[in-house]
């Protein structure tokens, strides 16, 4: 239960194409994360799945049934909103019971479900409080609890962690993952935080401007980004992307430096900052402009000849002064090559 | 351009600044003498003086008048009557028959006003809520509709009364319309029930926009996600209204109810221009009674009018205190959130 299939979902608001044809299959029990820059259509897509909005064209299937025309209530899904959307005038208990009462469920059953969810989320002492008397993290749990008691076929979460402070976000992230494992239900989680996406997801859907850029496992995206956008978007700090051209002797950067990478047809070479290392014999010569020492590692900002920027993350605390000329080397196997169309070059 | 502006500004503020400097010295001296709280009292004085002259003093005068009798205008010429006027207002030979009351007109006006308050406030609240709910939807030309409903609020009450008299009069627009389609004209305002209904309807029309606006503001403060959460939960519209919209609208709703009650108790201008209290005494309300006894009738009795207005004032004070209490409660609740 909880297999969701989207076929060519499009959405236009007036003259604006917000979603431009989205095809996606979410497997039963999978935790899929939608990630992408602000305004790319993540929330819109989630709301289509939820039934709060109708696609302009395209179909949505849940467990093989076309639900495109069905209302939100008849899809068996539960949503956790970014703002939590708890009813402020009801106690936590009443908030959790509200949806169940709509289905005319017996009171004993409602109480049992609330008790179970409250135990799971450790919010038992809060049941008789109002949302206004809870902290952000507690509200978050209640919002999740309200979804859990409905035993939905899938959970839809729209940036549920974005209102929490950094520390709480990390712990809630882990809790949500644990909850997913425990419930075994399908979850679609929206975020624009790529670390959140990487740590939680079974698979990540990278969206940009209403289109799916790539769907893959977190490591799949990291290791084999399908295009320049994904390459730049996934991983922190972002991948170095250098323009140049491929030749017989390797990849020649616009600044003239020749890198020993076999690169037929490529116009951009990508290299993660973590894959660069100091190497007196290395092919990259750069002038250090800034050193950010973080203790365990250091982030080096540098300029290549020709003006392109280089970013390197080096272990420890290398002794580099601003303005110093430094040579970097790398393992050619770590290079990502992209063609003029922005797609990953076959190699 | 900006320089000219600055220059003009300087010219205007120069005398003000001079004036302020002039005041500075005596104010400092005064502050040293009076202390900080004394200064606060000093600055409040002008406002308190106005309040005293136009509110407190007349109130005291009114109480004094209510304890006197006779037709003389000046207090000094009037006879002290103790609580005689109140007694006259409230005495009935048989309380089951209001015609046996000494001031049966007062009781009629009281009864009419009570009925008016119940009917008008109930209908007004229901209609204002419905209007606000509709205006809160994504309508085409929403601003236009909001303006249409708010427009009567901007009219003077006398204008409102006149407009509707022109419509409902024997020779009015409505009858002209009826005649034009071949029906007999109806003497609307000479029918007791219709005249009362017209007073209710016209005052509702005149005030609806104001109350709808307050409720609309309350509705717009309810986050949309709550409705979406309710939609995900499969909540029927009626349940959404009773369990989500209405409770969250309650602070505004209570304010609206109390304000509407106060206004309804005070009903006068629109109704008076529309019906003049008639036919007979069908639309005679308390304020009109007070006005007629005090100023308009042949046997002017300012003492009686003053006593009646003190009684009515008592009711209004209770309602006002209620409103203030509600306001304070809402504030406290808002802080809790
Ligand atoms: N009702 C609407 N009418 C017109 N445009 C809309 C509407 N709703 C959303 N949009 C547009 O659709 C695009 C996608 O919006 P959406 O809320 O899905 O973005 P998002 O990816 O969730 O962004 P964020 O990370 O900021 O939440 C935006 O450009 C937005 O302006
Ligand atoms: Mg969003």
């Amino acid at each position: 239960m909880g297999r969701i299939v989207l076929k060519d979902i499009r959405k236009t608001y007036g003259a604006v194409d917000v979603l431009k044809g989205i095809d996606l299959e979410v497997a039963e029990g999978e935790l899929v994360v939608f990630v992408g820059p602000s305004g790319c259509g993540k929330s819109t897509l989630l709301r289509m799945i939820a039934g709060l909005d109708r696609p302009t064209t395209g179909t949505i299937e849940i467990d093989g049934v076309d639900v495109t025309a069905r209302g939100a209530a008849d899809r068996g899904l539960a949503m956790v909103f970014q703002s939590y959307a708890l009813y402020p005038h009801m106690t936590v208990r009443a908030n959790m019971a509200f949806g169940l009462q709509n289905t005319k469920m017996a009171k004993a059953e409602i109480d049992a479900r609330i008790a179970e969810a409250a135990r799971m989320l450790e919010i038992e002492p809060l049941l008789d409080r109002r949302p206004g008397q809870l902290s952000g993290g507690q509200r978050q749990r209640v919002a999740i609890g309200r979804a859990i008691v409905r035993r939905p076929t899938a959970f839809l979460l729209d940036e549920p962690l974005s209102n929490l402070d950094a520390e709480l976000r990390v712990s809630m992230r882990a809790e949500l993952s644990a909850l997913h494992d425990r419930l075994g239900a399908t979850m679609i989680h929206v975020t624009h935080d790529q670390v959140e996406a990487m740590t939680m997801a079974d698979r990540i859907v990278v969206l940009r401007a209403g289109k799916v850029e790539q769907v893959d496992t977190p490591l799949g995206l990291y290791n084999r980004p399908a295009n320049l956008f994904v390459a730049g978007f996934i991983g922190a700090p972002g991948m170095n992307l250098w323009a140049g051209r491929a030749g017989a002797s390797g990849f020649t950067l616009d600044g003239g430096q020749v890198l020993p990478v076999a690169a037929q047809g490529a116009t951009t070479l990508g290299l993660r900052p973590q894959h660069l290392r100091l190497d007196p014999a290395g092919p990259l010569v750069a002038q250090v402009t800034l050193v950010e020492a973080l203790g365990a590692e250091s982030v080096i900002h540098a300029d290549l000849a020709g003006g392109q920027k280089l970013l390197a993350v080096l272990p420890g605390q290398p002794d580099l002064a601003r303005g110093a000329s430094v040579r970097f080397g790398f393992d050619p196997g770590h290079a990502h090559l992209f063609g003029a169309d922005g797609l990953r070059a076959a190699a | 351009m900006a320089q000219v502006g600055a220059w003009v500004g300087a010219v205007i503020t120069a005398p003000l600044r001079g004036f302020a400097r002039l005041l500075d010295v005596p104010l400092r001296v005064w502050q040293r003498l009076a202390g900080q709280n004394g200064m606060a009292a000093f600055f409040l004085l002008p406002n308190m003086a106005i309040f005293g002259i136009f509110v407190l003093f007349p109130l005291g005068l009114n109480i004094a008048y209510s304890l006197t009798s006779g037709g003389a205008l000046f207090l000094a010429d009037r006879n002290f009557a103790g609580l005689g006027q109140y007694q006259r207002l409230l005495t009935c030979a048989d309380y089951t028959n209001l015609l046996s009351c000494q001031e049966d007109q007062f009781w009629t006006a009281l009864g009419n006003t009570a009925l008016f308050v119940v009917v008008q406030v109930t209908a007004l609240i229901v209609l204002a809520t419905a209007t606000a709910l509709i205006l809160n939807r994504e309508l085409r030309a929403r601003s236009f509709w909001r303006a249409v409903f708010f427009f009567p609020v901007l009219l003077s009450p006398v204008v409102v009364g006149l407009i509707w008299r022109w419509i409902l009069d024997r020779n009015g627009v409505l009858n002209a319309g009826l005649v034009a389609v071949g029906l007999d004209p109806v003497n609307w305002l000479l029918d007791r029930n219709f005249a009362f209904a017209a007073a209710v309807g016209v005052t509702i029309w005149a005030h609806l926009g104001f109350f709808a606006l307050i409720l609309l503001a309350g509705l717009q403060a309810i986050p949309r996600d709550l409705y979406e959460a309710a939609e995900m939960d499969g909540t029927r519209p009626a349940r959404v209204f009773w369990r989500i919209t209405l409770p969250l609208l309650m602070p505004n709703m209570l304010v609206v109810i109390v304000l509407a009650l106060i206004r309804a108790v005070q009903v006068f201008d629109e109704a008076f221009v529309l019906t003049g209290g008639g036919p007979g005494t069908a639309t005679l309300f308390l304020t009109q009674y007070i006005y007629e006894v005090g100023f308009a009738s042949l046997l002017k009795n300012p003492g009686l009018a003053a006593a009646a207005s003190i009684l009515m004032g008592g009711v209004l004070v209770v309602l006002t205190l209620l409103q203030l209490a509600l306001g304070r409660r809402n504030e406290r609740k808002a802080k809790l959130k």
Side-chain angles (χ1 to χ4, degrees):
Chain A
M1 293 288 277
R3 197 178 113 87
I4 299 173
V5 179
L6 308 182
K7 289 181 184 154
D8 195 31
I9 299 288
R10 289 168 194 273
K11 179 70 179 177
T12 55
Y13 287 112
V16 190
D17 287 339
V18 175
L19 298 178
K20 300 167 186 165
I22 303 238
D23 291 283
L24 183 68
E25 288 194 33
V26 179
E28 199 178 318
E30 200 175 17
L31 199 168
V32 167
V33 173
F34 293 174
V35 68
S38 190
C40 68
K42 306 180 295 287
S43 297
T44 307
L45 184 58
L46 198 71
R47 292 167 55 84
M48 305 278 149
I49 300 172
L52 293 171
D53 237 327
R54 295 288 138 83
T56 309
T57 62
T59 57
I60 299 165
E61 285 176 14
I62 298 176
D63 294 325
V65 181
D66 183 346
V67 297
T68 318
R70 279 197 204 170
D74 304 323
R75 296 189 180 188
L77 308 176
M79 183 138 165
V80 176
F81 294 81
Q82 179 173 1
S83 62
Y84 315 139
L86 298 174
Y87 308 121
H89 56 296
M90 298 183 200
T91 61
V92 168
R93 190 190 303 279
N95 262 285
M96 291 167 79
F98 191 78
L100 301 180
Q101 287 160 354
N102 287 331
T103 62
K104 304 263 187 308
M105 185 181 286
K107 186 162 182 316
E109 169 73 6
I110 293 178
D111 289 345
R113 286 199 187 185
I114 291 176
E116 185 197 342
R119 201 173 336 107
M120 202 186 297
L121 295 163
E122 294 167 21
I123 53 174
E124 286 153 311
L126 310 178
L127 281 178
D128 293 310
R129 290 210 212 158
R130 302 235 169 132
Q133 301 162 317
L134 302 179
S135 71
Q138 291 169 332
R139 281 182 220 183
Q140 177 61 66
R141 281 163 207 269
V142 174
I144 293 168
R146 188 171 67 175
I148 288 178
V149 291
R150 294 193 40 223
R151 310 236 168 110
T153 46
F155 290 87
L156 309 176
L157 304 101
D158 191 357
E159 307 209 20
L161 307 182
S162 61
N163 285 340
L164 303 179
D165 63 51
E167 207 174 316
L168 200 53
R169 198 151 61 211
V170 172
S171 68
M172 279 306 287
R173 201 155 79 192
E175 268 185 53
L176 265 180
S177 297
L179 193 71
H180 170 251
D181 294 342
R182 199 155 154 197
L183 295 172
T186 309
M187 277 192 190
I188 300 180
H189 181 111
V190 167
T191 177
H192 57 243
D193 178 349
Q194 51 120 344
V195 178
E196 201 173 299
M198 295 293 282
T199 51
M200 293 178 70
D202 292 329
R203 277 192 310 153
I204 295 177
V205 178
V206 182
L207 289 166
R208 177 170 67 145
K211 278 189 158 148
V212 174
E213 292 283 326
Q214 189 173 0
V215 183
D216 206 339
T217 59
L219 290 183
L221 287 183
Y222 187 85
N223 295 332
R224 288 186 60 85
N227 54 46
L228 280 173
F229 175 76
V230 177
F233 192 76
I234 300 289
M239 186 187 281
N240 292 297
L241 294 167
W242 294 313
R245 73 199 126 70
S249 54
F251 188 84
T252 311
L253 297 187
D254 284 353
Q257 291 163 331
V258 181
L259 308 183
V261 178
Q264 316 86 306
T267 57
T268 305
L269 182 144
L271 204 55
R272 296 209 178 273
Q274 291 83 351
H275 290 151
L276 283 163
R277 58 172 187 266
L278 291 175
D279 179 356
L284 282 160
V285 186
Q287 204 144 43
V288 176
T289 56
L290 180 67
V291 178
E292 295 172 321
L294 303 175
E297 57 184 30
S298 301
V299 181
I300 316 294
H301 300 249
D303 285 341
L304 292 169
Q308 303 203 65
K309 304 279 180 208
L310 175 147
L311 204 60
V313 175
L314 302 177
Q317 303 163 5
D319 181 24
L320 294 174
R322 181 185 299 190
S325 190
V326 184
R327 277 186 173 270
F328 292 95
F330 62 94
D331 174 355
H334 282 140
H336 302 269
L337 295 163
F338 302 95
D341 52 5
L343 298 181
R344 189 177 188 87
Chain B
M1 196 59 217
Q3 222 153 24
V4 174
W7 188 76
V8 170
V11 168
I12 293 174
T13 53
L16 285 178
R17 227 176 292 141
F19 183 62
R21 224 169 275 143
L22 220 64
L23 279 181
D24 204 38
V25 177
L27 279 179
R28 274 173 199 280
V29 173
W30 173 241
Q31 179 166 14
R32 209 162 300 137
L33 292 176
Q36 202 137 2
N37 289 339
M39 284 312 276
F42 178 74
F43 286 121
L44 282 175
L45 205 62
N47 192 18
M48 291 316 289
I50 291 171
F51 182 73
I53 292 170
F54 291 103
V55 178
L56 284 183
F57 175 66
L59 181 63
L61 208 58
N62 201 332
I63 293 174
Y65 267 91
S66 75
L67 302 174
T68 61
S69 65
L73 189 58
F74 291 104
L75 199 54
D77 307 334
R78 299 179 58 81
N79 309 317
F80 183 72
L83 294 176
Q85 303 285 22
Y86 293 94
Q87 202 172 9
R88 177 169 167 192
L89 280 177
L90 299 176
T91 306
C92 296
D94 168 8
Y95 282 95
T96 59
N97 175 11
L98 294 182
L99 285 178
S100 73
C101 295
Q102 221 171 334
E103 271 300 315
D104 61 325
Q105 293 256 346
F106 172 74
W107 288 93
T108 305
L110 191 65
N112 284 346
T113 308
L115 182 65
F116 179 86
V117 167
V118 172
V119 175
Q120 197 252 12
V121 172
T122 311
L124 180 59
I125 298 297
V126 171
L127 287 174
T129 309
T131 308
L133 285 172
I134 292 169
L135 291 182
N136 195 35
R137 294 241 176 126
E138 279 171 23
L139 292 178
R140 198 167 301 172
R142 182 159 62 169
S143 318
F144 169 76
W145 290 113
R146 285 182 188 174
V148 165
F149 279 95
F150 193 70
F151 177 69
V153 177
L154 303 175
L155 295 178
S156 137
V158 175
V159 172
V160 169
L162 278 178
I163 291 175
W164 283 95
R165 205 168 80 193
W166 288 335
I167 295 173
L168 298 172
D169 210 38
R170 197 160 60 86
N171 300 317
V173 178
L174 184 56
N175 277 339
L178 289 181
V179 171
V181 298
L183 295 171
D184 287 334
V186 181
N187 221 335
W188 300 107
L189 295 176
L190 290 187
D191 177 278
R192 291 183 67 87
N193 293 329
F194 189 87
F196 192 88
V200 170
V202 168
T203 49
I204 289 179
W205 178 78
H207 301 160
L208 182 70
F210 175 73
F211 294 114
L213 200 71
I214 300 181
L215 293 175
L216 184 61
L219 287 178
Q220 288 182 334
I222 302 176
R224 265 188 56 165
D225 316 10
L226 295 189
Y227 291 109
E228 294 188 337
E231 190 183 340
M232 291 300 297
D233 280 346
T235 319
R236 277 171 297 106
R239 189 160 193 250
V240 171
F241 177 76
W242 290 110
R243 293 293 310 277
I244 297 174
T245 306
L246 202 55
L248 292 175
L249 195 56
M250 241 335 136
N252 292 49
M253 182 62 89
L254 289 175
V255 169
V256 162
I257 289 174
V258 176
L259 280 181
L261 281 174
I262 291 174
R263 278 210 189 177
V265 171
Q266 291 174 319
V267 58
F268 177 56
D269 358 28
E270 293 104 339
F272 183 65
V273 174
L274 184 69
T275 66
T281 54
T283 57
L284 175 68
F285 299 116
L286 266 182
T287 310
Q288 189 189 340
Y289 167 82
I290 293 167
Y291 162 71
E292 293 203 329
V293 168
F295 302 103
S297 67
L298 282 175
L299 289 171
K300 292 187 188 55
N301 189 343
L304 192 63
S309 63
I310 293 291
L311 290 181
M312 185 172 138
V315 175
L316 291 175
V317 165
V318 170
L319 289 176
T320 308
L321 289 179
L322 189 65
Q323 201 215 321
L324 290 178
L326 289 175
R328 231 167 287 143
R329 204 183 70 164
N330 287 345
E331 247 167 58
R332 242 186 340 230
K333 267 201 188 159
K335 260 184 225 140
L336 251 180
K337 260 180 216 170

